[in-house]
Amino acid sequence: MDKTFVKLDALPLDRAAALSESGCTMINQIKFVTIPVRDQKRALDFYTEKLGFTIITDQPFNGKQRWIELRIPKAETRVTLFTPEGQEGRIGSFSGISYQCEDVEQTYGELSARGVLFDAPPKKEPWGTFAAFKDSEGNSFVLSASKG
């Protein structure tokens, strides 16, 4: 008995149509990304005051941490400032998260003026312009734009 859920020969032509017709419920976005932090108050101040994120929820989680969920202006993906137990070693590392903006040079100037620490000024590459920065906990991020 063939247990293939989706007709494999249909996938290369139009994956979305094949998956939709099969009745398969697929992932449609990233709900949130978690940023590990040591000091939730300091991190919350950084993300709201320096980056301009807004608070969606800030409530008790357990005796050690709160569940803090933030919204990035004009984005659906949310950010949580939370460190799962046993993951403290991730604090202060490269996150793998790239924030997009319209103009990297302008955003770099505005964020620098607010006290955000960048590794270097924006750099132009064939694929776009980017700059790397750190949050209040030492986590590294990339600021990028698809053009310019």
Side-chain angles (χ1 to χ4, degrees):
M1 176 182 212
D2 183 10
K3 294 186 179 187
T4 304
F5 190 70
V6 176
K7 293 189 281 183
L8 295 177
D9 58 343
L11 286 177
L13 299 175
D14 186 349
R15 291 174 190 253
L19 292 172
S20 175
E21 290 170 9
S22 73
C24 182
T25 303
M26 295 301 298
I27 296 168
N28 58 17
Q29 71 178 353
I30 294 173
K31 180 177 179 179
F32 60 77
V33 295
T34 300
I35 298 172
V37 299
R38 191 166 319 282
D39 182 326
Q40 287 185 304
K41 181 181 181 344
R42 179 176 60 208
L44 182 58
D45 290 347
F46 176 87
Y47 283 90
T48 56
E49 295 172 13
K50 295 189 186 295
L51 298 187
F53 294 7
T54 57
I55 299 170
I56 298 299
T57 187
D58 182 352
Q59 61 189 354
F61 181 80
N62 58 27
K64 299 176 185 175
Q65 295 188 79
R66 304 178 338 244
W67 181 259
I68 301 172
E69 200 167 315
L70 306 174
R71 178 180 320 244
I72 301 168
K74 300 181 184 179
E76 291 186 37
T77 302
R78 297 175 181 187
V79 171
T80 64
L81 304 177
F82 181 81
T83 307
E85 191 172 325
Q87 298 297 310
E88 295 82 4
R90 291 180 46 218
I91 299 168
S93 64
F94 178 72
S95 68
I97 297 172
S98 180
Y99 293 110
Q100 182 175 315
C101 65
E102 293 295 320
D103 184 326
V104 174
E105 303 253 351
Q106 179 181 346
T107 303
Y108 165 82
E110 292 172 6
L111 293 179
S112 293
R114 292 182 190 174
V116 175
L117 300 176
F118 283 83
D119 294 345
K123 184 175 181 184
K124 290 187 180 196
E125 295 290 344
W127 48 265
T129 303
F130 79 98
F133 71 94
K134 289 188 178 3
D135 70 3
S136 61
E137 309 305 293
N139 297 306
S140 296
F141 303 91
V142 173
L143 177 67
S144 65
S146 57
K147 297 181 180 177

